[in-house]
Amino acid sequence: SSKYVLSQMHPMWQGPLVVPGGDRQSPIDIAVRKTVFDSELKPLVATYDPQTCQQIWNNGYSFLVEYDDTTDKNTLKGGPLKDKFRLCQFHFHWGESNDWGSEHTVDRRLFPAELHLVHWNSDRYTLFEEAVMEENGLAVIGVFLKVGKRHEGLQKLVDALPAIRHKDSIVEFNRFDPGCLLPANIDDYWTYHGSLTTPPLTESVSWIVMKQHIEVSHDQLAVFRSLLFTSAEEVQKSMVNNFRVQQPLRGRTVRSSFT
Ligand SMILES: NS(=O)(=O)c1ccc(NC(=O)NCCO)cc1
Ligand SMILES: [Zn+2]
């Protein structure tokens, strides 16, 4: 049965959204004490080619760094995944202040921002658009951001943001290694079955949320907040608080790859 999901997460969404089923929605709170260690979970193997980076653009919701996903150049396998997945894009969610902004929470703790690396199952499907509708179609790696020392690898991205301040603006972006945004330790993660956190909210995501966060500077995060939800003709609205609120667990188990 499909349930109505009120669009609490963002004023931009008008009226209730119908989602298929609605009992595998994301994000969620990860109650650490209730996670279950699974010794069968393998280490994650992420192989990314910085040369396949194509463009960075403001989609009116976040900014996306998109990769050429027509070949198996950027793959994710292992971890909870049975198949091989292809990176298509990564993006972030953040708040208007450093006190909130992440989508997932850990024991209700909010982080100032969260990175999502979006992959689709290239063993079973030929396009993202196909995979996004399927139960085992997507794998998204979530990485929490904390405010601290400057992230040298992120700076190249930050320097490109003023050029895509408005919705639908896009610039060519080449040579960016998404691997530089992963924490040192990618063996410790939580994993559960969920959904996209923005429309179409389809329940096709194997979530892999890293236990270890990365650090970015206050100034780097401030540049995220200088982006706009709006296009050049509209009244300006700062791109902040582009996160969805935590959704009910509905009996799901969150597994951990570590004790
Ligand atoms: N926030 S999230 O759950 O990681 C997410 C990822 C991809 C999408 N959609 C998507 O990638 N659409 C096609 C090309 O951008 C929506 C939400
Ligand atoms: Zn996201």
Side-chain angles (χ1 to χ4, degrees), residues 131-218:
V132 73
M133 305 309 288
E134 304 299 330
E135 178 127 7
N136 54 10
L138 303 181
V140 182
I141 296 176
V143 182
F144 295 116
L145 275 64
K146 271 183 75 176
V147 176
K149 66 181 187 315
R150 184 181 136 106
H151 192 296
E152 292 311 326
L154 184 73
Q155 195 54 38
K156 183 178 176 196
L157 204 51
V158 168
D159 291 339
L161 296 184
I164 57 162
R165 196 155 177 255
H166 292 102
K167 178 179 177 195
D168 295 333
S169 47
I170 182 165
V171 288
E172 193 186 337
F173 198 63
N174 43 39
R175 272 207 67 74
F176 186 83
D177 173 16
C180 84
L181 297 175
L182 292 174
N185 171 10
I186 61 167
D187 291 341
D188 291 358
Y189 57 82
W190 294 288
T191 183
Y192 77 98
H193 292 291
S195 73
L196 297 182
T197 65
T198 64
L201 296 172
T202 42
E203 298 181 336
S204 54
V205 183
S206 293
W207 277 96
I208 300 164
V209 179
M210 291 295 149
K211 180 188 174 203
Q212 193 177 55
H213 61 269
I214 59 170
E215 275 192 25
V216 303
S217 70
H218 176 88

Side-chain angles (χ1 to χ4, degrees), residues 5-15 17 25-27 61 93-94 103 196-199 201 229 240-247:
V5 170
L6 285 182
S7 60
Q8 316 112 340
M9 50 76 58
H10 199 274
M12 314 264 286
W13 290 2
Q14 312 310 328
L17 286 156
Q25 289 292 292
S26 293
Y61 188 72
H93 303 261
W94 59 91
E103 297 212 300
L196 297 182
T197 65
T198 64
L201 296 172
F229 282 128
V240 292
N241 301 331
N242 55 357
F243 55 83
R244 187 188 196 194
V245 292
Q246 290 79 40
Q247 302 296 307

